[in-house]
């Protein structure tokens, strides 16, 4: 059962072209920090395990939490890293580690993964945005020095960005004339005053104009009832459907957010609710990418700021925990069906193959065919794309 | 046993001693009634049904108590009848045994006598045989005598035979001689006459005279011959006579020996007959002996059988007496309990509360319950186990069976404990057995099974869970009776109306659904959304009907949870509840704590007299709160050493157990209120 509703979006020739030359990335960002014990690294029968049972997956030998039954059936497309230690229990700082591959650096802002890959992977002349965030937060800060083109285009649930339509009282001719006039003025202003800010200003208009020509990628009215049944009818399902449409359209980097997992109280009840929402559309998304041949050049990462404490607190919650947690990833450049690393019996420490944000970034870069040891150049200075002190997780790379 | 009851608490010790005295009689007793079981009473141990839990509704509890008293009375009567029957059977066996033993004694004499008879008969046979041998010897001698006599006779006959012709010849010769003489004589006579005849011519005379002379010559010859022959005849005659005498003697001797022989043959026959008779006598007496021995064996077997029977009867006496004793004890307990309801139900003063016991585990307990006798305290913990502590000495059993955290447990009046678990199962346990054992496991819900309730009459168990369903189960056979479908979110808790006519289930979104028991039709919704919120920030539902209870008279329904939520995921909200007029469905009050306690209510119970509602829960710390029905704010708060997840009220109505995050179940005691206004006393007829 394919996503027939999306099939008209990309011409087959263009899809092949994309497959051969452009890697894409989808990050599922589980705001607040999903519990690794209730997802990828269950510890049943221990003092930290909680009430849920593990289930078998489509990969013999890999068990995940029973709250992810649909995802379990897609495990052969995914791999797990169960030995992440980011040593940062603050939401903002943890997010920076996961988004930039290193700790917050005073006086310098490294670009976020979405902006970096938009910059490094997206065709420069594409009318499509390189980095779209669907309820995944994001700001101009994400792009840092990479320029406004790589700032995330932020979408809400199931709608196109604001002001996509030309106001009705302005004709196309009048609009083109207005744009031409503005360009003329900008060019004359730029003569002798060439400046980044002016270029940014001008580029923003060009980008907006391009995007206005791509309105169809936000149109979900053609999605069939069958597909809505498969994904579900709730905001996160809509985000997944939107993400699939954007990937099919060729958008380089899509970040899909899901709120919220910061379950200091009643961790288990809330994880039932949140993962109950997450599981099915995420699994459908993975399956559809695979069925449509898109997974071969699209990397999927499920991540967040950190994991949650193995210790179950007095409110039957779990608190922030970065010392031993997990992420899931798969698709382009990633060997499927693998488990990297191991935590101890009750998940309180990494026992094997400890990795941090740097290792993850090296791995992401390598997976999409980029060299993480190349530098960004900014203001005449080189900045390492990934923490040079770390390496890729070689065994995970296809 | 690191946390013993505080020894300075005399009252609890008294309670414990009372409980001990009840419980020492044991929780398992052998069944009696069938003979097979009677041979091994211990193998047929079954749990005794124990008095019911005190329902929050005293009237209901009284009903239970009455039912239990009646039940134990009838069971006791039955047991006593059985015991009498056993005693009668025992006596009957005893008499039969004695009779059989008497018979055996007689038979033993009989056997001895028969044995003597046999011996005597065998001696008779020996004597007869000896006698026969003597007769046989005599007979042989007789035969020789006969033969001798026969030979003698033969000789005599021969001799006789030899002389007989001689005598006949001699006789004949004699007769011939005599005849010749006679002829001669006649001739002489004739010749004389003729010679004397004158007429005769001389010639004639001469002739006559010659003839006479010749005749006379001849007469001489014949006379001699006759004499000789007479002599000869006499000799032969004598010889013959002798032979005849000898022959006669031989004949007599022969006959005499024959007679003797005949007599001897008779003697032999007699002797043989005597032997046969003696042998027959032996056989007869042996048969008699065998018969009496067989009879003896039969009687012995009968004695063995009767002895076994007697032992079997006697072996049943003791267990039957034990069970009768237990039943008597149960009857006493239930009678006391019933009487307690009839006379002076204790009235607790919630403001007088203190900790009296700490039951330690190594993982947080999530649910607690007492058994109906109040002897045991049960808790389900985060290590998936259910713990059973005996209250007075904290003797602890760990029950395994759940695959995930137990969510709730209830010990029914039958002694069966039901528990639900987060793995979705309903488990039944033989809770009062030693050791307790798992009876059955039922897959009840998809996702968490969150709670259960047992109907007031004990025939139904209802479970609720995260599949948004309530499921009704038959306690008799564990079968699913029906599913109650209608909730649109996880069903958190439930309660039976004290009348048993209604069931109320409550869900995550504060929706209370009322169902009619039996037809299982949906009756109406009650709105408890004061303890629910959809958090727009976290995009999650928060709240739920965590505590739920009916007033004892069934006119009020109270629920508890968390309201006024400002931060769902940090659990920032207020411990709150709501109370409804159950007849009209109207929400009477929103219940909140006087301290505006930040946290959630996790469990809620009505006082057995309906005088107050007690709730337990917490946020960053834990507490017990007490409300009077009709008042919005709690009138008393008792701080706990940690967040509490569940509450259970002891059957005595004075003790409260709470499950705490600090790995303990703690028991608190409310003092009875001596100044409490008289509580309307239910009557036994209600």
């Amino acid at each position: 059962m394919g996503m027939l509703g999306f099939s008209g979006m990309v011409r087959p020739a263009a899809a092949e072209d994309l497959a051969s030359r452009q890697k894409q990335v989808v990050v599922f960002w589980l705001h607040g920090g999903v519990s690794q014990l209730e997802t990828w690294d269950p510890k049943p029968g221990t003092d930290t395990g909680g009430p849920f049972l593990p289930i078998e997956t489509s990969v013999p030998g890999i068990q995940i939490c029973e709250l992810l039954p649909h995802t379990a059936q897609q495990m052969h497309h995914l791999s797990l890293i169960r030995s992440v230690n980011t040593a940062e229990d603050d939401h903002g700082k943890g997010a920076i580690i996961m988004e930039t591959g290193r700790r917050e650096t005073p006086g310098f802002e490294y670009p976020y993964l979405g902006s970096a890959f938009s910059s490094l992977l997206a065709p420069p002349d594409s009318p499509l945005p390189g980095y779209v965030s669907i309820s995944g937060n994001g700001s101009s800060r994400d792009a840092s020095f990479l320029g406004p083109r790589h700032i995330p285009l932020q979408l809400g649930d199931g709608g196109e960005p604001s002001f996509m339509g030309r106001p009705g009282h302005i004709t196309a001719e009048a609009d083109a004339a207005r744009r031409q006039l503005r360009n003329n003025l900008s060019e004359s202003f730029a003569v002798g005053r060439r400046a980044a800010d002016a270029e940014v200003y001008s580029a923003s208009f060009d980008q907006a104009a391009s995007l206005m020509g791509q309105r169809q990628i936000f149109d979900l009215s053609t999605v069939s009832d069958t597909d809505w049944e498969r994904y579900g009818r709730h905001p996160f399902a809509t985000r997944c459907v939107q993400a699939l449409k954007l990937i099919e359209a060729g958008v380089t980097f899509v970040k899909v957010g899901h709120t919220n997992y910061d379950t200091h109280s009643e961790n288990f009840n809330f994880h039932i609710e949140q993962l109950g929402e997450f599981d099915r559309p995420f699994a459908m998304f993975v399956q559809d990418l695979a069925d449509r041949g898109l997974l071969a050049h699209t990397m999927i990462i499920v991540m967040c700021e950190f994991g949650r404490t193995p210790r179950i607190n007095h409110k039957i919650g779990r608190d922030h925990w970065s010392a031993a947690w997990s992420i899931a990833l798969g698709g382009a450049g990633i060997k499927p069906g693998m488990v990297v690393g191991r935590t101890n019996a009750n998940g309180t420490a990494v026992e094997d193959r400890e990795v941090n944000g740097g290792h993850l970034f090296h791995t992401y870069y390598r997976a999409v065919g980029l060299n993480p040891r190349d530098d960004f150049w900014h203001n005449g200075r080189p900045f390492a794309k990934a923490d040079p002190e770390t390496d890729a997780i070689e065994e995970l790379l296809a | 046993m690191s946390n013993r009851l505080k020894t300075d608490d005399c009252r609890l010790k008294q309670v414990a001693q009372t409980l001990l005295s009840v419980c020492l009689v044991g929780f398992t007793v052998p069944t009696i009634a069938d003979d097979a079981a009677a041979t091994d009473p211990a193998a047929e141990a079954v749990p005794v049904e124990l008095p019911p839990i005190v329902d929050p509704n005293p009237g209901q509890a009284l009903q239970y108590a009455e039912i239990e008293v009646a039940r134990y009375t009838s069971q006791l009567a039955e047991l006593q009848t059985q015991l009498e029957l056993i005693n009668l059977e025992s006596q009957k066996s005893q008499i039969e045994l004695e009779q059989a033993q008497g018979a055996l004694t007689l038979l033993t004499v009989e056997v001895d006598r028969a044995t003597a008879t046999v011996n005597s008969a065998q001696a008779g046979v020996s004597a007869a045989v000896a006698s026969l041998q003597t007769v046989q010897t005599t007979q042989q001698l007789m035969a020789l005598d006969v033969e001798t006599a026969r030979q003698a006779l033969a000789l005599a006959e021969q001799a006789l035979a030899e002389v007989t012709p001689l005598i006949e010849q001699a006789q004949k010769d004699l007769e011939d001689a005599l005849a010749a003489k006679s002829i001669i004589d006649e001739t002489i006579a004739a010749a004389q006459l003729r010679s004397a005849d004158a007429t005769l011519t001389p010639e004639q005379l001469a002739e006559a005279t010659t003839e006479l002379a010749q005749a006379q010559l001849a007469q001489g010859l014949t006379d001699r011959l006759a004499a000789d022959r007479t002599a000869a005849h006499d000799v032969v005659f004598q010889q013959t006579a002798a032979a005849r005498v000898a022959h006669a003697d031989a004949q007599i001797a022969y006959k005499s020996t024959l007679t003797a022989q005949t007599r001897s043959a008779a003697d032999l026959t007699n002797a043989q007959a005597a032997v046969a008779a003696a042998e027959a006598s032996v056989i007869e007496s042996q048969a008699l002996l065998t018969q009496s021995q067989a009879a003896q064996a039969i009687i012995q077997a009968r004695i063995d059988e009767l002895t076994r029977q007697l032992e079997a009867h006697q072996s049943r006496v003791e267990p039957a007496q034990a069970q009768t004793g237990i039943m008597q004890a149960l009857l006493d307990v239930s009678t006391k309990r019933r009487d307690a309801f009839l006379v002076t139900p204790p009235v607790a003063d919630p403001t007088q509360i203190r900790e009296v016991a700490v039951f330690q585990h190594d993982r947080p307990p999530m649910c607690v319950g007492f058994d109906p006798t109040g002897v045991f305290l049960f808790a389900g913990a985060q290590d998936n186990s259910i713990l059973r502590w005996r209250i007075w000495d904290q003797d602890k059993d760990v029950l395994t069976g759940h695959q995930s955290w137990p969510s709730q447990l209830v010990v029914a009046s039958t002694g069966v404990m039901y528990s639900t678990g987060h793995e979705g199962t309903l488990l039944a346990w033989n809770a009062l057995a030693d050791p307790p054992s798992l009876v059955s496991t039922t897959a009840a819900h998809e996702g968490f099974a969150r709670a259960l309730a047992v109907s007031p009459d004990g025939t139904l168990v209802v479970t609720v869970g995260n599949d948004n369903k309530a499921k009704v189960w038959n306690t008799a056979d564990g079968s699913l009776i029906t599913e109650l479908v209608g909730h649109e979110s996880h069903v958190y808790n439930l309660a039976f109306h004290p009348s048993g006519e209604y069931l109320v289930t409550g869900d995550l979104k504060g929706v209370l659904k009322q169902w009619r028991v039996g037809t299982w039709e949906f009756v109406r919704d009650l709105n408890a959304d004061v303890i629910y919120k959809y958090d727009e920030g976290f995009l999650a539902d928060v709240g739920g009907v965590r505590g739920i209870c009916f007033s004892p008279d069934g006119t009020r329904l109270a629920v508890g949870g968390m309201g006024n939520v400002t931060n769902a995921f940090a659990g920032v909200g207020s411990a709150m509840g709501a109370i409804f007029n159950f007849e009209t469905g109207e929400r009477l009050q929103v219940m909140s704590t006087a301290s505006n306690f930040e946290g959630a209510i996790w469990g809620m119970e009505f006082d057995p007299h309906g005088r107050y509602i007690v709730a337990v829960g917490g946020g960053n710390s834990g507490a017990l709160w007490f409300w009077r029905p009709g008042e919005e704010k709690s009138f008393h708060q008792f701080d706990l050493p940690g967040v509490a997840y569940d509450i259970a009220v002891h059957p005595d109505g004075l003790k409260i157990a709470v499950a705490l995050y600090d790995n303990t179940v703690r028991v608190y005691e409310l003092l009875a209120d001596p100044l409490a206004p008289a509580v309307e006393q239910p009557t036994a007829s209600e």
Side-chain angles (χ1 to χ4, degrees), chain B residues 46-70:
Chain B
V46 296
V48 148
E49 289 184 318
L50 290 158
I53 195 164
V54 174
D55 190 87
N57 180 346
Q60 195 79 38
L62 175 62
Q63 264 183 11
Y64 295 162
E66 290 287 0
I67 290 166
E68 290 300 327
V69 167

Side-chain angles (χ1 to χ4, degrees), chain B residues 326-386:
Chain B
I326 289 166
M327 198 53 72
Q328 183 65 56
L330 289 174
L331 179 60
D332 292 348
V333 169
S334 59
T335 305
K336 279 178 192 166
R337 177 162 296 146
R338 191 270 316 274
D339 293 348
F341 281 112
L342 289 176
V343 182
T344 50
V347 176
D349 177 0
T351 64
Q352 302 293 313
I353 184 170
R354 58 182 170 171
E355 180 184 299
V356 290
V358 179
F359 296 84
Q360 187 74 42
H361 191 49
D362 50 13
R363 301 279 287 281
M366 303 303 290
C367 51
V368 290
F370 286 103
D371 80 273
T373 63
V375 170
F376 293 111
L377 172 63
F378 293 85
Q382 282 190 11
D383 60 2
N384 306 345
S385 69
I386 289 181

Side-chain angles (χ1 to χ4, degrees), chain B residues 380-681:
Chain B
Q382 282 190 11
D383 60 2
N384 306 345
S385 69
I386 289 181
L387 314 163
R388 186 185 78 170
W389 285 286
R390 194 161 50 203
I391 290 175
W392 72 84
D393 64 357
Q394 301 210 349
D395 181 44
K396 180 180 177 183
D397 285 292
V398 179
L399 287 65
T400 57
H402 279 294
Q403 303 300 309
S404 181
W405 296 0
S407 53
Q408 196 168 29
L409 58 87
V410 173
V411 187
S413 61
T414 53
V416 175
M417 175 171 67
Y418 301 94
S419 62
T420 45
H422 284 62
E423 74 279 13
T425 59
L426 166 64
L427 268 50
W429 308 81
N430 207 343
L432 306 181
D434 251 338
S437 58
L438 180 61
V439 177
S440 68
T441 301
T442 306
H445 294 276
E446 292 290 324
F448 289 2
R450 283 192 179 267
L452 72 100
V454 179
S455 64
D457 65 4
T459 60
L460 305 170
V461 166
V462 182
T463 57
V464 295
N466 280 5
D467 53 7
N468 301 353
K469 290 175 181 172
K471 291 192 174 182
V472 184
W473 310 88
N474 184 342
T475 55
D477 59 9
S479 61
L480 178 66
I481 292 172
T482 190
E483 294 185 1
L484 306 181
V485 178
H487 283 287
E488 293 174 356
S489 64
H490 300 164
V491 191
Y492 268 49
N493 213 335
L494 74 164
F496 272 98
H497 188 265
S499 69
E501 291 174 24
Y502 298 107
L503 175 73
V504 173
T505 52
D507 68 20
L508 167 62
K509 297 189 176 179
V511 176
L512 297 166
K513 288 192 177 290
Q514 180 182 343
W515 314 84
R516 190 181 305 280
V517 173
T519 64
W520 301 112
E521 64 192 298
F522 168 70
V523 180
R524 63 179 171 180
D525 279 336
L526 300 171
N527 182 355
D529 64 3
V530 64
I531 49 173
Y532 166 71
K533 175 188 176 181
Y534 182 74
D535 190 305
E536 299 287 350
F538 291 109
L539 302 181
D541 297 293
V542 58
V545 177
R546 303 171 202 222
I548 184 167
C549 55
F550 274 101
S551 62
D553 62 6
T555 62
R556 297 287 181 271
L557 172 66
V559 296
M562 180 163 67
N564 294 336
V565 172
T566 56
N567 183 333
F569 282 13
V572 180
S574 300
M576 287 176 67
I579 185 165
F580 297 85
N581 178 330
F582 192 65
E583 286 163 17
T584 64
E586 177 194 3
R587 192 183 77 193
L588 298 174
Q589 278 92 30
V590 171
M591 298 158 63
S592 59
T593 62
S595 64
N596 290 319
F597 196 96
E598 186 183 295
I601 287 171
W602 283 97
M604 191 177 248
E605 297 287 344
F606 245 103
D607 159 48
H609 304 297
R611 294 158 58 90
Y612 59 85
I613 297 162
V614 55
V616 72
N620 289 323
S621 63
L624 286 163
W625 304 278
F626 298 87
W627 284 265
R628 293 186 189 91
E631 294 181 2
E632 186 182 322
K633 290 289 181 186
S634 59
F635 68 89
H636 184 61
Q637 174 174 320
F638 180 81
D639 290 333
L640 297 172
V643 180
Y645 302 125
D646 196 15
I647 182 172
V649 177
H650 190 271
D652 70 6
L654 295 177
K655 287 191 284 296
I656 290 171
V658 294
L660 286 156
Y661 178 68
D662 68 356
N663 298 343
T664 65
V665 175
R666 290 170 194 260
V667 175
Y668 296 90
E669 189 178 48
L670 314 180
L671 292 188
D673 182 359
L675 301 178
V679 173
E680 192 176 333
Q681 293 178 6

Side-chain angles (χ1 to χ4, degrees), chain A residues 51 265-266 269 273 312 314-315, chain B residues 404 450 541 569-570 645 661:
Chain A
S265 171
E266 294 189 64
N269 287 337
E273 182 165 0
I312 299 162
H314 57 284
K315 293 183 175 179
Chain B
S404 181
R450 283 192 179 267
D541 297 293
F569 282 13
Y645 302 125
Y661 178 68

Side-chain angles (χ1 to χ4, degrees), chain A residues 120-318:
Chain A
L120 296 168
L121 294 173
D125 53 351
S126 171
L128 296 169
Y131 174 14
V132 177
S133 171
I134 312 172
S135 300
N137 295 353
S139 71
S140 59
R141 172 192 157 142
D142 289 15
S144 186
F145 55 82
L146 295 176
R149 179 170 172 74
H150 306 298
I151 290 170
L153 171 67
Q154 298 198 51
L155 300 182
D157 287 326
E160 60 182 22
S162 304
F163 311 118
M164 280 292 282
R166 175 164 44 75
H169 64 277
I170 299 174
T171 64
E173 292 76 14
D175 187 44
R178 283 153 55 115
R179 201 183 306 160
Q180 188 57 50
L181 172 61
R182 189 176 47 71
N183 282 346
N184 291 343
L185 293 171
S186 295
E187 281 168 14
S188 64
F189 175 81
V191 172
R193 303 189 184 85
R194 198 169 177 84
D197 288 351
E199 283 182 10
V200 165
Y201 186 78
S202 191
S204 298
F205 280 94
D206 293 343
Q207 203 174 339
S210 298
L211 189 59
M212 288 171 74
Q214 300 293 329
R215 286 185 73 176
Q216 75 280 1
I217 68 173
F218 304 112
D219 178 12
L220 303 182
S221 66
T222 58
V223 177
S224 71
D225 280 349
T226 307
D227 287 325
W228 283 125
E229 288 302 320
R230 290 174 61 232
Y231 275 73
R233 297 177 190 275
H234 52 79
F236 180 70
T238 306
R239 289 173 219 164
C240 291
V241 170
Q242 177 68 75
L244 182 61
K245 196 151 186 168
L246 295 175
I247 291 297
E248 282 193 316
V251 171
T252 299
F253 191 101
V254 180
K255 183 180 180 186
V256 183
H258 191 219
T259 288
N260 189 288
Y261 292 88
D262 194 15
T263 52
H264 295 277
S265 171
E266 294 189 64
N267 172 76
F268 305 105
N269 287 337
F270 288 129
H271 271 79
I272 291 173
E273 182 165 0
Q274 305 300 58
L275 290 173
E277 206 171 77
F278 170 82
D279 177 47
R280 188 181 178 94
F282 171 72
M284 292 304 116
F285 178 83
V286 174
Q287 184 189 329
D288 284 342
L289 279 194
D291 288 352
R292 305 191 64 72
L294 298 168
L295 200 55
H297 61 80
T298 306
M299 176 168 62
I300 298 170
I301 311 169
V302 184
M303 63 158 102
C304 43
E305 303 97 296
F306 36 59
R308 306 213 72 82
T309 48
R311 176 177 169 274
I312 299 162
N313 70 23
H314 57 284
K315 293 183 175 179
I316 319 179
R318 296 190 193 271

